[in-house]
Amino acid sequence: QKEVEQNSGPLSVPEGAIASLNCTYSDRGSQSFFWYRQYSGKSPELIMSIYSNGDKEDGRFTAQLNKASQYVSLLIRDSQPSDSATYLCAVQRDSSYKLIFGSGTRLLVRP
Amino acid sequence: SAVISQKPSRDICQRGTSLTIQCQVDSQVTMMFWYRQQPGQSLTLIATANQGSEATYESGFVIDKFPISRPNLTFSTLTVSNMSPEDSSIYLCSVEQATDTQYFGPGTRLTVL
């Protein structure tokens, strides 16, 4: 079992729709959770961080964390073609600076 | 967030040679990290570079192959030694800033022939 799992996709949604990206993790000691966006040929760019159960909203992005079920998700409202990228989920263990990355989900927003 | 630069941005190297990648940050940071992203793959941590001490390497990575320097709080280098085609990857440095958050440099795309 991978430590951080994501569906590789591609996830294809029409422009204006809600894109839902999911991530599960295996280490119950994980405390910090991050979503990065990576455009082809570019480095990862931090979108959201979340540390507590529940929802965290930032503009069109909402991160959701459920530690009991060991999953974290990212919702993108009003998806735009410019949102087309690979979204990486990363988990940080308690008392460690190490980030464990999932394999990423490729999102395609159709005009 | 800090501004992070890497040199070179890309390089094509011959098998058996070595390449040193530089990472420069515009502010002092305690923690710097080096990652590898192989084609079509996600990021894998190579090592954590702490100023004033030896780097801490992850399982599967050794100092002889990936020596790291961290001479001060704004700079680090990663050397990829005795390269083979399997070392063709994007190499990324990252720095940790507020609330355990990591920000990435632009990366170095390495092709080994």
mmCIF file of all heavy atoms in Angstrom, chain B residues 8-33:
data_model
loop_
_atom_site.group_PDB
_atom_site.id
_atom_site.type_symbol
_atom_site.label_atom_id
_atom_site.label_comp_id
_atom_site.label_asym_id
_atom_site.label_seq_id
_atom_site.Cartn_x
_atom_site.Cartn_y
_atom_site.Cartn_z
ATOM 1 N N PRO B 8 21.893 24.846 -13.094
ATOM 2 C CA PRO B 8 21.285 25.341 -14.334
ATOM 3 C C PRO B 8 19.811 24.983 -14.396
ATOM 4 O O PRO B 8 19.327 24.188 -13.595
ATOM 5 C CB PRO B 8 22.091 24.589 -15.398
ATOM 6 C CG PRO B 8 22.402 23.268 -14.749
ATOM 7 C CD PRO B 8 22.652 23.604 -13.296
ATOM 8 N N SER B 9 19.089 25.560 -15.318
ATOM 9 C CA SER B 9 17.677 25.212 -15.476
ATOM 10 C C SER B 9 17.535 23.880 -16.195
ATOM 11 O O SER B 9 16.561 23.145 -15.995
ATOM 12 C CB SER B 9 16.939 26.307 -16.230
ATOM 13 O OG SER B 9 17.523 26.493 -17.510
ATOM 14 N N ARG B 10 18.487 23.575 -17.047
ATOM 15 C CA ARG B 10 18.510 22.292 -17.734
ATOM 16 C C ARG B 10 19.925 21.997 -18.201
ATOM 17 O O ARG B 10 20.743 22.908 -18.350
ATOM 18 C CB ARG B 10 17.545 22.266 -18.909
ATOM 19 C CG ARG B 10 17.812 23.309 -19.969
ATOM 20 C CD ARG B 10 16.829 23.176 -21.125
ATOM 21 N NE ARG B 10 15.448 23.365 -20.697
ATOM 22 C CZ ARG B 10 14.465 22.526 -21.014
ATOM 23 N NH1 ARG B 10 14.691 21.449 -21.732
ATOM 24 N NH2 ARG B 10 13.236 22.774 -20.608
ATOM 25 N N ASP B 11 20.200 20.719 -18.389
ATOM 26 C CA ASP B 11 21.507 20.345 -18.905
ATOM 27 C C ASP B 11 21.420 18.966 -19.540
ATOM 28 O O ASP B 11 20.570 18.151 -19.139
ATOM 29 C CB ASP B 11 22.561 20.343 -17.793
ATOM 30 C CG ASP B 11 23.970 20.599 -18.316
ATOM 31 O OD1 ASP B 11 24.194 20.435 -19.534
ATOM 32 O OD2 ASP B 11 24.852 20.968 -17.506
ATOM 33 N N ILE B 12 22.273 18.741 -20.496
ATOM 34 C CA ILE B 12 22.428 17.430 -21.125
ATOM 35 C C ILE B 12 23.851 16.991 -20.853
ATOM 36 O O ILE B 12 24.797 17.711 -21.186
ATOM 37 C CB ILE B 12 22.152 17.495 -22.637
ATOM 38 C CG1 ILE B 12 20.733 17.988 -22.891
ATOM 39 C CG2 ILE B 12 22.378 16.124 -23.283
ATOM 40 C CD1 ILE B 12 20.423 18.245 -24.364
ATOM 41 N N CYS B 13 24.004 15.840 -20.226
ATOM 42 C CA CYS B 13 25.325 15.396 -19.780
ATOM 43 C C CYS B 13 25.629 14.011 -20.317
ATOM 44 O O CYS B 13 24.734 13.245 -20.666
ATOM 45 C CB CYS B 13 25.382 15.366 -18.249
ATOM 46 S SG CYS B 13 25.079 16.962 -17.465
ATOM 47 N N GLN B 14 26.903 13.706 -20.346
ATOM 48 C CA GLN B 14 27.358 12.395 -20.788
ATOM 49 C C GLN B 14 27.425 11.442 -19.612
ATOM 50 O O GLN B 14 27.707 11.832 -18.469
ATOM 51 C CB GLN B 14 28.728 12.516 -21.449
ATOM 52 C CG GLN B 14 28.731 13.340 -22.733
ATOM 53 C CD GLN B 14 27.857 12.716 -23.817
ATOM 54 O OE1 GLN B 14 27.855 11.486 -24.008
ATOM 55 N NE2 GLN B 14 27.097 13.552 -24.508
ATOM 56 N N ARG B 15 27.185 10.213 -19.900
ATOM 57 C CA ARG B 15 27.299 9.143 -18.898
ATOM 58 C C ARG B 15 28.664 9.189 -18.232
ATOM 59 O O ARG B 15 29.680 9.441 -18.890
ATOM 60 C CB ARG B 15 27.104 7.805 -19.613
ATOM 61 C CG ARG B 15 27.171 6.579 -18.734
ATOM 62 C CD ARG B 15 27.353 5.341 -19.613
ATOM 63 N NE ARG B 15 26.234 5.182 -20.538
ATOM 64 C CZ ARG B 15 25.238 4.349 -20.333
ATOM 65 N NH1 ARG B 15 25.198 3.616 -19.227
ATOM 66 N NH2 ARG B 15 24.281 4.230 -21.222
ATOM 67 N N GLY B 16 28.698 9.005 -16.918
ATOM 68 C CA GLY B 16 29.947 8.951 -16.172
ATOM 69 C C GLY B 16 30.421 10.288 -15.638
ATOM 70 O O GLY B 16 31.350 10.327 -14.824
ATOM 71 N N THR B 17 29.814 11.355 -16.079
ATOM 72 C CA THR B 17 30.214 12.677 -15.592
ATOM 73 C C THR B 17 29.377 13.066 -14.376
ATOM 74 O O THR B 17 28.487 12.339 -13.958
ATOM 75 C CB THR B 17 30.056 13.734 -16.689
ATOM 76 O OG1 THR B 17 28.673 13.835 -17.068
ATOM 77 C CG2 THR B 17 30.881 13.360 -17.922
ATOM 78 N N SER B 18 29.676 14.228 -13.804
ATOM 79 C CA SER B 18 28.956 14.734 -12.632
ATOM 80 C C SER B 18 28.423 16.121 -12.927
ATOM 81 O O SER B 18 29.009 16.877 -13.714
ATOM 82 C CB SER B 18 29.882 14.776 -11.406
ATOM 83 O OG SER B 18 30.330 13.480 -11.062
ATOM 84 N N LEU B 19 27.328 16.473 -12.290
ATOM 85 C CA LEU B 19 26.724 17.793 -12.441
ATOM 86 C C LEU B 19 26.383 18.329 -11.059
ATOM 87 O O LEU B 19 25.788 17.617 -10.243
ATOM 88 C CB LEU B 19 25.454 17.721 -13.288
ATOM 89 C CG LEU B 19 24.690 19.045 -13.425
ATOM 90 C CD1 LEU B 19 25.467 19.999 -14.342
ATOM 91 C CD2 LEU B 19 23.282 18.809 -13.966
ATOM 92 N N THR B 20 26.735 19.581 -10.821
ATOM 93 C CA THR B 20 26.371 20.236 -9.570
ATOM 94 C C THR B 20 25.267 21.238 -9.827
ATOM 95 O O THR B 20 25.380 22.102 -10.702
ATOM 96 C CB THR B 20 27.585 20.934 -8.940
ATOM 97 O OG1 THR B 20 28.553 19.937 -8.564
ATOM 98 C CG2 THR B 20 27.171 21.700 -7.683
ATOM 99 N N ILE B 21 24.194 21.110 -9.072
ATOM 100 C CA ILE B 21 23.031 21.979 -9.177
ATOM 101 C C ILE B 21 23.033 22.924 -7.987
ATOM 102 O O ILE B 21 23.238 22.493 -6.845
ATOM 103 C CB ILE B 21 21.738 21.138 -9.184
ATOM 104 C CG1 ILE B 21 21.751 20.143 -10.346
ATOM 105 C CG2 ILE B 21 20.512 22.043 -9.264
ATOM 106 C CD1 ILE B 21 20.673 19.077 -10.252
ATOM 107 N N GLN B 22 22.799 24.190 -8.262
ATOM 108 C CA GLN B 22 22.797 25.192 -7.211
ATOM 109 C C GLN B 22 21.372 25.644 -6.901
ATOM 110 O O GLN B 22 20.536 25.747 -7.808
ATOM 111 C CB GLN B 22 23.609 26.419 -7.644
ATOM 112 C CG GLN B 22 25.052 26.121 -7.948
ATOM 113 C CD GLN B 22 25.797 27.360 -8.417
ATOM 114 O OE1 GLN B 22 25.267 28.470 -8.415
ATOM 115 N NE2 GLN B 22 27.048 27.176 -8.797
ATOM 116 N N CYS B 23 21.124 25.919 -5.631
ATOM 117 C CA CYS B 23 19.838 26.442 -5.183
ATOM 118 C C CYS B 23 20.093 27.658 -4.303
ATOM 119 O O CYS B 23 20.816 27.565 -3.309
ATOM 120 C CB CYS B 23 19.078 25.362 -4.412
ATOM 121 S SG CYS B 23 17.469 25.889 -3.787
ATOM 122 N N GLN B 24 19.519 28.777 -4.704
ATOM 123 C CA GLN B 24 19.719 30.038 -3.989
ATOM 124 C C GLN B 24 18.371 30.573 -3.535
ATOM 125 O O GLN B 24 17.414 30.590 -4.316
ATOM 126 C CB GLN B 24 20.391 31.059 -4.919
ATOM 127 C CG GLN B 24 20.640 32.425 -4.305
ATOM 128 C CD GLN B 24 21.825 32.422 -3.371
ATOM 129 O OE1 GLN B 24 22.926 32.008 -3.726
ATOM 130 N NE2 GLN B 24 21.605 32.899 -2.142
ATOM 131 N N VAL B 25 18.303 31.020 -2.284
ATOM 132 C CA VAL B 25 17.073 31.570 -1.722
ATOM 133 C C VAL B 25 17.319 33.020 -1.340
ATOM 134 O O VAL B 25 18.435 33.365 -0.908
ATOM 135 C CB VAL B 25 16.640 30.780 -0.473
ATOM 136 C CG1 VAL B 25 15.241 31.189 -0.027
ATOM 137 C CG2 VAL B 25 16.690 29.289 -0.737
ATOM 138 N N ASP B 26 16.297 33.852 -1.458
ATOM 139 C CA ASP B 26 16.486 35.279 -1.202
ATOM 140 C C ASP B 26 16.327 35.650 0.260
ATOM 141 O O ASP B 26 16.370 36.830 0.624
ATOM 142 C CB ASP B 26 15.534 36.114 -2.065
ATOM 143 C CG ASP B 26 14.080 35.985 -1.647
ATOM 144 O OD1 ASP B 26 13.746 35.027 -0.914
ATOM 145 O OD2 ASP B 26 13.280 36.824 -2.072
ATOM 146 N N SER B 27 16.131 34.666 1.126
ATOM 147 C CA SER B 27 16.051 34.914 2.558
ATOM 148 C C SER B 27 16.633 33.716 3.297
ATOM 149 O O SER B 27 16.763 32.633 2.719
ATOM 150 C CB SER B 27 14.607 35.164 2.993
ATOM 151 O OG SER B 27 13.800 34.052 2.676
ATOM 152 N N GLN B 28 16.972 33.912 4.540
ATOM 153 C CA GLN B 28 17.573 32.821 5.304
ATOM 154 C C GLN B 28 16.516 31.784 5.686
ATOM 155 O O GLN B 28 15.449 32.140 6.193
ATOM 156 C CB GLN B 28 18.254 33.377 6.557
ATOM 157 C CG GLN B 28 19.458 34.247 6.245
ATOM 158 C CD GLN B 28 20.199 34.682 7.496
ATOM 159 O OE1 GLN B 28 19.649 34.665 8.595
ATOM 160 N NE2 GLN B 28 21.458 35.067 7.343
ATOM 161 N N VAL B 29 16.814 30.543 5.464
ATOM 162 C CA VAL B 29 15.906 29.459 5.791
ATOM 163 C C VAL B 29 16.685 28.357 6.498
ATOM 164 O O VAL B 29 17.843 28.100 6.176
ATOM 165 C CB VAL B 29 15.198 28.885 4.544
ATOM 166 C CG1 VAL B 29 14.257 29.908 3.934
ATOM 167 C CG2 VAL B 29 16.205 28.400 3.515
ATOM 168 N N THR B 30 16.035 27.723 7.442
ATOM 169 C CA THR B 30 16.698 26.661 8.186
ATOM 170 C C THR B 30 16.742 25.364 7.379
ATOM 171 O O THR B 30 17.785 24.728 7.241
ATOM 172 C CB THR B 30 15.979 26.415 9.520
ATOM 173 O OG1 THR B 30 15.962 27.623 10.266
ATOM 174 C CG2 THR B 30 16.691 25.335 10.326
ATOM 175 N N MET B 31 15.604 24.998 6.834
ATOM 176 C CA MET B 31 15.481 23.707 6.184
ATOM 177 C C MET B 31 15.450 23.871 4.660
ATOM 178 O O MET B 31 14.648 24.641 4.130
ATOM 179 C CB MET B 31 14.197 23.002 6.626
ATOM 180 C CG MET B 31 14.037 22.877 8.131
ATOM 181 S SD MET B 31 15.256 21.787 8.871
ATOM 182 C CE MET B 31 14.692 20.204 8.256
ATOM 183 N N MET B 32 16.302 23.132 3.995
ATOM 184 C CA MET B 32 16.263 23.038 2.536
ATOM 185 C C MET B 32 16.214 21.556 2.171
ATOM 186 O O MET B 32 16.790 20.722 2.871
ATOM 187 C CB MET B 32 17.480 23.715 1.900
ATOM 188 C CG MET B 32 17.514 25.218 2.100
ATOM 189 S SD MET B 32 18.933 26.015 1.320
ATOM 190 C CE MET B 32 18.449 25.994 -0.398
ATOM 191 N N PHE B 33 15.537 21.270 1.092
ATOM 192 C CA PHE B 33 15.314 19.882 0.694
ATOM 193 C C PHE B 33 15.628 19.717 -0.783
ATOM 194 O O PHE B 33 15.449 20.635 -1.585
ATOM 195 C CB PHE B 33 13.849 19.483 0.928
ATOM 196 C CG PHE B 33 13.354 19.744 2.319
ATOM 197 C CD1 PHE B 33 12.845 20.985 2.658
ATOM 198 C CD2 PHE B 33 13.408 18.758 3.283
ATOM 199 C CE1 PHE B 33 12.383 21.239 3.945
ATOM 200 C CE2 PHE B 33 12.960 18.997 4.569
ATOM 201 C CZ PHE B 33 12.444 20.236 4.901
#
